[in-house]
Amino acid sequence: MAEAERIIGTPDITGAEGSGETGPDGAAASPEAGAADGQDTGATAADAEAEAEAAVDRSPATRRRRIILLFCVALVAYLLDLGSKMLVVAKLEHQEPIELIGDWLKLDAIRNAGAAFGFGEAFTIIFTVIAATVIVVIARLARKLYSLPWAIALGLLLGGALGNLTDRIFRAPGVFEGAVVDFIAPAHFAVFNLADSAIVCGGILIVLLSFKGLDPDGTVHKD
């Protein structure tokens, strides 16, 4: 019997005893298991970011719709501004101001050679160049535009910039030196027009979108 045991041999259990931890079923755990567990948090964050990126619809059709919306908003803002200025020049210029809400809000036609709200009248040409630059920048951003709110914000900026730039080019005293028609006159505030309002509304919306981490291409980032 002893001779048979010597020939068959006994199980080598020393390697199993020194191999480390075992799983619930008694099997030895693989060395990579701990490392994989340590990477769970990073993998989860990366997966969440990848899912957010994948959720953005970047199809050509979506970009085309956003661009169409941008130009539609810009066109509406531009036409409202242009029409209001034509009406003011024809009916209100060189006339007494019209009181809408007593002394708090009036319609008073003036010619403004400066920037929005009457600031910087000595830099008419500079403001004209800035307006033209804004239009070019918006046109470039439109190539990667997939966000609906950004399309509205950029449309307001574009329409307002075009409205005032039209005055700069076509009104007296000359090309790129023309005075902008302003007519909305709140009490204790500068006189402005609808183009100024569109620019301010678009700018405020862009600031809010930036605080929320929403980019023009539709991605959301967390700082």
Side-chain angles (χ1 to χ4, degrees):
M1 187 66 176
E3 185 66 19
E5 291 178 352
R6 184 184 65 79
I7 295 174
I8 296 174
T10 58
D12 185 7
I13 62 172
T14 57
E17 291 175 351
S19 60
E21 299 179 357
T22 60
D25 57 354
S30 63
E32 291 82 1
D37 292 339
Q39 296 175 352
D40 284 348
T41 303
T44 302
D47 291 342
E49 184 176 350
E51 289 177 1
E53 185 78 12
V56 179
D57 184 2
R58 289 197 174 89
S59 65
T62 297
R63 184 170 68 90
R64 185 164 53 251
R65 287 194 297 268
R66 299 296 181 260
I67 293 175
I68 291 174
L69 176 61
L70 186 157
F71 285 110
C72 285
V73 172
L75 181 62
V76 170
Y78 176 75
L79 291 179
L80 287 175
D81 178 68
L82 181 62
S84 64
K85 289 174 179 175
M86 293 175 63
L87 185 62
V88 165
V89 170
K91 302 294 184 180
L92 188 59
E93 199 167 34
H94 308 302
Q95 303 294 328
E96 290 296 321
I98 298 176
E99 294 184 355
L100 297 180
I101 309 177
D103 291 334
W104 290 98
L105 181 62
K106 299 179 180 180
L107 296 181
D108 187 11
I110 67 169
R111 297 295 181 107
N112 170 28
F117 305 106
F119 299 122
E121 294 186 1
F123 304 98
T124 305
I125 296 180
I126 294 177
F127 292 129
T128 303
V129 173
I130 292 175
T133 303
V134 168
I135 294 171
V136 173
V137 171
I138 292 174
R140 292 178 63 87
L141 283 175
R143 296 185 300 177
K144 57 177 183 179
L145 182 63
Y146 295 94
S147 168
L148 178 64
W150 269 95
I152 296 173
L154 293 177
L156 289 171
L157 279 181
L158 181 59
L162 285 173
N164 284 339
L165 185 61
T166 300
D167 284 358
R168 304 287 187 198
I169 295 175
F170 295 105
R171 296 194 187 277
V175 178
F176 299 118
E177 296 181 355
V180 175
V181 176
D182 289 335
F183 57 93
I184 304 174
H188 312 298
F189 195 73
V191 185
F192 60 96
N193 56 42
L194 295 184
D196 298 333
S197 301
I199 291 171
V200 170
C201 291
I204 292 174
L205 182 54
I206 287 176
V207 170
L208 294 176
L209 294 174
S210 299
F211 272 121
K212 292 180 64 176
L214 180 62
D215 293 333
D217 63 358
T219 57
V220 179
H221 62 272
K222 301 294 182 182
D223 294 331

